[in-house]
Amino acid sequence: MTDPIVYGFPRSTFVNIVRLVLTHKNVPYTFHDLETVMGKPEHLALHPFDRVPILGHGDFTIYETSAIVSYIDEAFAGPKLTPQDVRARGRMNQWISAVNSYYYPYMIYHVTHERLVFPELGIASDEKVVAHAMPKVELGLGVLERELSHGQDYVLGSELSLADFFILPSTFAFSLTEEGGKLYPKFPAFSRWRERMENLPATKKQRSILPRREPILHAREWANSHRPKY
Ligand SMILES: N[C@@H](CCC(=O)N[C@@H](CS)C(=O)NCC(=O)O)C(=O)O
């Protein structure tokens, strides 16, 4: 079977979850940059909901990050990132769902887009969007801090899982905002977890192959199509 192909754009939070998991499992893959065709037929043929990532593996194509990383964890050799224990697996899926529903939307879709993505394109930040999101970001960081405050290395305890790789890219991108810089030191257990995750060989390798951070050009359209309004 040929190596899998990850379709997406380089700065995408969800694309980076998939790339981190493949890298950690030592699975060789190709990255196919869709930046110039986002929203166009070539992209929509892969993902009818106009999002990334998509994974191609031989004649099989799959989208939605949680489905993709579960497939990767089962289809390829390498360290398992899904616990055998039924409760630990339940807890992992709880965290994955929480990233999709609470962490990514407020940290990335609200704050990081307003603080980094739009200004890089010459579009002013909407302070109302940031103000609405910040109490929800603080709530999320408090929840993570409590979960990580029992002396364990990873979210589920001693076992690194898909949950950690789900949380990492959102919390990395948020760290680049002024809000992240101010808030993170208030959460010491979370900060220790971040340092541990940032120093994993997979994270370092993944960061080293990413191109220089460039403005996300197709995001100019997001200001019209799906910017939160308050
Ligand atoms: N539910 C999707 C969410 C994926 C998603 O929102 N991806 C963002 C990038 S991080 C995207 O495709 N944005 C493109 C756009 O909004 O035009 C998943 O889990 O894969």
Side-chain angles (χ1 to χ4, degrees), residues 9 11-15 38 43 47 50-53 63-66 68 100 104 108-109 113 166 218 222 225-226:
F9 57 90
R11 276 177 58 180
S12 156
T13 308
F14 285 106
V15 168
M38 285 294 291
H43 169 220
H47 199 314
D50 196 4
R51 292 286 187 273
V52 290
Y63 57 82
E64 288 303 298
T65 306
S66 56
I68 293 172
N100 290 333
Y104 174 83
I108 305 299
Y109 198 71
H113 286 186
F166 247 80
H218 80 277
W222 299 349
S225 59
H226 48 269

Side-chain angles (χ1 to χ4, degrees), residues 193-211:
W193 170 87
R194 274 199 73 226
E195 204 182 328
R196 192 170 301 115
M197 291 300 295
E198 289 293 337
N199 281 306
L200 289 178
T203 313
K204 288 184 164 174
K205 187 168 173 193
Q206 155 74 359
R207 297 249 191 278
S208 74
I209 60 169
L210 282 182

Side-chain angles (χ1 to χ4, degrees), residues 95 99 103-104 107-108 134 136-155 163-177 179-199 207:
W95 277 103
V99 170
Y103 291 84
Y104 174 83
M107 288 183 143
I108 305 299
M134 283 314 295
K136 297 169 197 295
V137 171
E138 286 208 51
L139 170 70
L141 288 172
V143 172
L144 251 180
E145 179 70 14
R146 280 198 298 283
E147 191 85 0
L148 290 163
S149 290
H150 312 291
Q152 78 269 38
D153 284 351
Y154 303 111
V155 171
D164 297 285
F165 283 119
F166 247 80
I167 299 166
L168 184 62
S170 290
T171 52
F172 169 73
F174 187 76
S175 78
L176 305 176
T177 66
E179 282 78 8
K182 281 191 201 133
L183 260 187
Y184 279 3
K186 295 185 195 164
F187 300 95
F190 162 71
S191 298
R192 285 194 296 278
W193 170 87
R194 274 199 73 226
E195 204 182 328
R196 192 170 301 115
M197 291 300 295
E198 289 293 337
N199 281 306
R207 297 249 191 278

Side-chain angles (χ1 to χ4, degrees), residues 105-121 123-133 177-179 222-223 226-230:
Y106 295 114
M107 288 183 143
I108 305 299
Y109 198 71
H110 285 61
V111 181
T112 307
H113 286 186
E114 295 300 332
R115 284 290 182 248
L116 304 178
V117 174
F118 289 141
E120 286 164 6
L121 296 167
I123 301 167
S125 311
D126 183 337
E127 295 302 327
K128 280 200 243 141
V129 175
V130 175
H132 175 85
T177 66
E178 60 185 81
E179 282 78 8
W222 299 349
H226 48 269
R227 190 178 196 178
K229 284 201 176 29
Y230 297 101

